[in-house]
Amino acid sequence: MSNGIYEAAIEAVVKGDVGMAAETAQKGLSEGIEPLQLLNEGFIPGINKVSDMFDVGTIFIPGLVVSANAMQNAADIINAAIPASERTVQGRIVIGTVEGDVHDIGKTIVVSLLKASGFDVLDLGRDVSTDRFIQEAQDFNADIIGTSSLLTTTMPAQKKLEVALKEAGLKEQFKTMVGGAPVTQRWANKIGADAFAENASSCVKLAKELLVA
Ligand code: B12
């Protein structure tokens, strides 16, 4: 039972109403809706609707920005409600959005779920250079490097990382995971990434598989 929460979430994001988004997130959680379900059935369909409106020219960049703020606000509240893991550490992951790309809402959801599932995660944020990914992964003694890209123009940075790891003789040391709306399994295969995940839950599942591979 969602009592119109999902509809309200969609409306809040479409309207770019930060207050309504926050209230809806809190209300949904207090009614016992699972955090991921609240995102997957409410706020994410909301931002996807905004994206469709942007595509057909019903809204423009300023509208996208206010909607993104509303989405971000709700996602922050929901991410904080994902219960902390009591399990032992599953593995160490360095993750970030690639250079030239500031989209980080999805990446941050992935980070929250990885942490909640017992991974030790170093979130490098957004606009992260290839050199920094590699340096931080070495310093953090990471098992996996995860990169997020939301723009077709920044996807080549995921390939650049694969090439740089090979050139530095580090490809065997780190597994790589790629994600972001335009990213596909085909792209992952093409560039030689170890895994692609289309959402946070499958990212956790695949990360666990990579660690035993
Ligand atoms: C919100 C948004 C913005 C916000 C971003 C705010 C923020 N803090 O993130 C703002 C307004 C700033 C923005 C700016 C721009 N945007 Co924008 N944006 C979007 C929008 C509408 C939604 C993205 C989003 O948050 N989705 C919700 C999250 C939950 O989904 P997600 O990111 O895909 O993440 C999930 C999975 O992909 C996966 N995942 C994500 N990361 C990772 C990482 C790993 C390792 C793994 C395994 C999985 C994984 O798990 C996540 C959870 O399920 C998209 C459209 C869309 N539907 O994707 C356009 C979109 C991505 N933007 C677009 C564009 C063009 C831009 C701008 C260039 C616009 C402009 N002209 O200025 C700028 C780019 C700025 C830059 N240099 O980066 C285009 C890209 C087109 C293209 N083919 O490249 C899109 C597709 C819109 C469109 N239809 O044209 N944008």
Side-chain angles (χ1 to χ4, degrees):
M1 264 282 282
S2 70
N3 286 329
I5 294 284
Y6 300 141
E7 294 75 8
I10 293 170
E11 189 185 336
V13 175
V14 170
K15 282 187 177 163
D17 187 331
V18 176
M20 183 181 178
E23 271 166 37
T24 308
Q26 269 146 2
K27 191 157 178 252
L29 293 171
S30 70
E31 286 186 10
I33 301 178
E34 290 292 322
L36 264 196
Q37 193 174 347
L38 190 50
L39 282 167
N40 287 337
E41 294 187 32
F43 292 97
I44 293 178
I47 200 78
N48 287 339
K49 192 166 174 190
V50 170
S51 175
D52 292 343
M53 290 161 71
F54 183 69
D55 281 344
V56 297
T58 327
I59 61 154
F60 302 96
I61 297 287
L64 195 59
V65 173
V66 289
S67 287
N69 287 342
M71 167 86 193
Q72 182 82 67
N73 209 21
D76 287 347
I77 292 167
I78 297 169
N79 284 336
I82 294 178
S85 165
E86 285 167 16
R87 276 180 283 168
T88 48
V89 173
Q90 300 263 6
R92 300 170 71 78
I93 304 191
V94 162
I95 190 166
T97 303
V98 298
E99 193 159 25
D101 199 329
V102 304
H103 296 86
D104 64 356
I105 296 172
K107 182 267 302 158
T108 308
I109 294 170
V110 168
V111 168
S112 301
L113 200 65
L114 283 168
K115 283 185 179 167
S117 309
F119 285 88
D120 238 346
V121 186
L122 176 62
D123 182 357
L124 302 178
R126 51 199 191 177
D127 194 12
V128 181
S129 70
T130 303
D131 288 350
R132 186 156 171 241
F133 271 117
I134 294 176
Q135 189 60 53
E136 300 270 7
Q138 286 178 304
D139 294 348
F140 190 63
N141 197 16
D143 302 297
I144 299 173
I145 305 177
T147 55
S148 182
S149 170
L150 265 285
L151 297 170
T152 44
T153 50
T154 56
M155 283 168 63
Q158 294 179 321
K159 183 176 177 190
K160 197 175 155 196
L161 177 66
E162 299 297 330
V163 173
L165 284 172
K166 277 197 200 99
E167 280 176 3
L170 294 168
K171 181 61 192 162
E172 298 308 312
Q173 196 173 327
F174 306 111
K175 300 282 186 194
T176 52
M177 294 191 81
V178 290
V183 178
T184 58
Q185 182 63 55
R186 193 159 170 235
W187 172 247
N189 295 346
K190 190 174 169 194
I191 66 173
D194 296 296
F196 154 75
E198 64 179 348
N199 58 42
S201 333
S202 60
C203 177
V204 168
K205 187 170 163 277
L206 289 166
K208 286 180 185 167
E209 286 175 16
L210 280 183
L211 291 175
V212 292

